[in-house]
Amino acid sequence: MAKVDFAIGIGGEAGQGIATPGDILARIFARRGLNLNAYNAYQSIIRGGHTFLTIRVSDGPVRNMGDKIDILIPLNQDTMNRHLKLLKSGACVLFDNEKIKPGDAADGVQVCPLPIKQLTAGNKLAANTVAIAATLQMLGVEFEGLQDALTRIFKRKGDAVVAENVGFARAGYDYAAANFKSFPFKAPNLDKGLAVLTGNQATALGGIAAGVKFYAAYPMSPSTGVLMYMASHARQLGIMVRQVEDEIGVMNMVIGAAHAGCRAMCATSGGGFALMTEAIGMAGMIETPVVCVDVQRAGPATGVPTKTEQGDLWQILGAGQGDYPRIIVAPTDQKDLFKTIPELFNLCDRYQCPGLVLADLLISEGTASVDPADLNFRAEIDRGEIIFPNGNGNSDNPFGGYNDMAYLRYKLTKSGISPRAVPGTPGHIHIAATDEHDEDGTLISDEFTNPAKRRLMVEKRARKMETVVTQIAPPKLVGPENAAVTLVGWGSTEGTIREAVEKLAAEEGIVANQLHIKWIVPFHTDEITRVLSRSKKVIIIENNYSGQFARYLRSETGIAAHGHIRKYDGEPFMPHHIVNSVKEQLAGKTQLSVPTHEIYV
């Protein structure tokens, strides 16, 4: 049971430096061993607009940004006007009283004006530092932690800058101690410190743990962070990183690198993924394993570049042309994203097919605390039936001799998996092209068109998927089997739905359970059907308008949900959105709930 659970909201214009104080607070809390989740709602502009960063902190599990703001730090009047009215009794607001007017706050909200000009000797850039220091004082955090953080951040600018900022922080810290009422709870300092990890960092680190040696991308938010991390560590880790002219080139380069034998991956967003899909079909035809991460954002076209959505499911299900095996997975959070990438690479190598990851902005640009011990950088690597020229592969390599007639790259096997020799392996000459082919790679699509061979080759590739499903974990029902309602979700909604289930039980007396789907293709049809066919009421929750997963579930299981909760305003679900929607559906008021996002950003 969590003893403390609070959220800090920092808002202002783009360009006012929202990210830096958020990063400082996140690292201070993580080093105290506290769990956290940070979500930055921002606009697609360099300066202006409204940006709002939420950091939720607890000594218990934190799976989402939560339902409330306990400490509001508005850096401009707009933020004060938007968010003050949402604060409830027990919360506080800290602001520059020369720039910002507070307006009417609810009873029990502590209004904390800070004389920023006086505390910083007129240095406007230090307002964030003062506000952070006052916040930490009210939470009972020792000043030394902030001093260390400021020293690390400003040390490159010299001792004078460090001393100046530490001085500003000290002034804000002492002013809060003398003038404001501290919170009745304190941010505890636990035994074991944690690290912080964004989803894009988790994707990159997962690829590194999987042995990726080639990464290509075209910068496209929200996936750009993966490219930045890979590029900044490329030389150190021996990874070739390329920024390519467009996503068509990206996917073709990744396929080429993977065909040559190294593990290769890329990440993009929905618009970039659309350009990659023809090449993904090629990977399916030549049976080359690649991993592509689609970080979903609100669309269509360029859509809303800085907002989240689960709107690419049907695009990714239909990626490429024709029938061919592929594996599709939707990780649930940052740590799961890290763990999933190596697992997916192993599956792709074993089954010689593309692997597609459905992340979204909520995960990829979100920040979470993580125990470094939970990040296994020595993940098991299984390259499958691969043959290297140096004999280090998993299959036999006879070496020497021109015996290409003996080697069948696309040999018809019972499993559908054929030995895969990388180019340059002696004795393993074969053809790889996008046309349909015979067992040795000879094209059969033109003058040698052969319906019988075409059918056999389609069936060979399809057979691979018959056993993939046995290699991945089926979803587990969380909660009592005889619950009044089963909440079904996929991907990044897992943590918010879990908290909603807990709130329904604790605050509303409603017994709910949860079935969350991670692996999209192959689909655990039997297990999911067995669970949902016993449920009294099934409600599907997803971040899109048309209910893409609800339609997919029905196509795979024949099960039509009794109710739906959908959100497509560009912002993620908050737990109370789901709680309120379940209540109205159990009361028979509607079968489709579309929650309103109260915090306008």
Side-chain angles (χ1 to χ4, degrees), residues 51 133 142 176 315 346 378 395 401 404 416 426 544 553 579 586:
T51 297
E142 301 80 10
Q315 178 184 207
N346 285 348
R378 298 184 181 275
S395 289
D404 58 307
N544 60 59
L553 176 70
V579 170
L586 289 179

Side-chain angles (χ1 to χ4, degrees), residues 313-359:
L313 175 58
W314 279 94
Q315 178 184 207
I316 211 162
L317 285 169
Q321 55 284 9
D323 277 343
Y324 66 95
R326 90 243 18 209
I327 301 170
I328 302 174
V329 61
T332 57
D333 57 26
Q334 288 85 357
K335 189 166 72 175
D336 189 44
L337 188 51
F338 170 83
K339 291 182 176 179
T340 300
I341 299 290
E343 182 180 6
L344 181 60
F345 262 108
N346 285 348
L347 289 170
C348 292
D349 261 336
R350 283 184 215 138
Y351 292 94
Q352 299 174 19
C353 67
L356 308 175
V357 180
L358 266 172

Side-chain angles (χ1 to χ4, degrees), residues 173-452:
Y173 195 88
D174 291 344
Y175 187 86
N179 295 279
F180 304 147
K181 181 181 177 182
S182 297
F183 281 92
F185 57 84
K186 306 298 180 187
N189 195 355
L190 307 181
D191 294 336
K192 185 176 183 180
L194 301 174
V196 292
L197 185 71
T198 71
N200 280 333
Q201 290 170 343
T203 299
L205 289 170
I208 292 166
V212 166
K213 291 300 176 187
F214 182 83
Y215 181 85
Y218 177 83
M220 187 172 189
S221 63
S223 67
T224 307
V226 185
L227 174 61
M228 293 172 64
Y229 192 93
M230 283 290 195
S232 63
H233 295 82
R235 191 177 299 276
Q236 172 190 3
L237 296 170
I239 300 173
M240 179 174 284
V241 178
R242 287 289 179 270
Q243 178 178 324
V244 189
E245 71 274 14
D246 59 35
E247 286 86 350
I248 298 173
V250 167
M251 181 50 72
N252 280 289
M253 289 183 75
V254 168
I255 292 172
H259 188 70
C262 79
R263 283 192 162 178
M265 69 180 278
C266 58
T268 184
S269 184
F273 186 77
L275 294 174
M276 294 178 173
T277 55
E278 183 180 12
I280 292 173
M282 176 172 72
M285 174 59 85
I286 67 175
E287 303 187 41
T288 294
V290 295
V291 167
C292 174
V293 182
D294 175 8
V295 183
Q296 300 169 94
R297 72 186 199 192
T302 52
V304 193
T306 61
K307 298 300 175 183
T308 195
E309 196 169 85
Q310 292 180 306
D312 291 354
L313 175 58
W314 279 94
Q315 178 184 207
I316 211 162
L317 285 169
Q321 55 284 9
D323 277 343
Y324 66 95
R326 90 243 18 209
I327 301 170
I328 302 174
V329 61
T332 57
D333 57 26
Q334 288 85 357
K335 189 166 72 175
D336 189 44
L337 188 51
F338 170 83
K339 291 182 176 179
T340 300
I341 299 290
E343 182 180 6
L344 181 60
F345 262 108
N346 285 348
L347 289 170
C348 292
D349 261 336
R350 283 184 215 138
Y351 292 94
Q352 299 174 19
C353 67
L356 308 175
V357 180
L358 266 172
D360 57 33
L361 182 144
L362 178 63
I363 298 179
S364 295
E365 292 197 346
T367 300
S369 55
V370 60
D371 187 342
D374 290 339
L375 304 181
N376 179 16
F377 288 94
R378 298 184 181 275
E380 176 189 0
I381 293 179
D382 182 353
R383 299 301 311 269
E385 295 294 322
I386 195 168
I387 305 168
F388 287 120
N390 61 7
N392 288 339
N394 294 338
S395 289
D396 294 337
N397 176 14
F399 286 97
Y402 184 79
N403 63 337
D404 58 307
M405 295 301 291
Y407 174 61
L408 300 175
R409 167 67 186 98
Y410 304 108
K411 185 179 181 180
L412 298 173
T413 62
K414 186 177 180 180
S415 66
I417 301 170
S418 310
R420 173 186 163 223
V422 300
T425 303
H428 292 77
I429 296 174
H430 64 279
I431 301 167
T434 57
D435 282 17
E436 189 57 279
H437 43 250
D438 203 342
E439 288 182 275
D440 65 356
T442 300
L443 306 189
I444 62 170
S445 61
D446 297 323
E447 63 180 300
F448 301 114
T449 297
N450 186 319

Side-chain angles (χ1 to χ4, degrees), residues 67-101:
D67 282 322
K68 60 185 176 67
I69 297 296
D70 298 286
I71 303 166
L72 175 65
I73 304 176
L75 300 180
N76 62 4
Q77 187 66 52
D78 181 40
T79 302
M80 177 70 87
N81 297 342
R82 289 170 184 256
H83 299 280
L84 179 63
K85 58 191 174 188
L86 298 174
L87 299 186
K88 297 181 180 178
S89 179
C92 79
V93 52
L94 300 106
F95 60 99
D96 182 350
N97 63 354
E98 291 188 358
K99 286 177 50 183
I100 303 169
K101 303 303 178 186

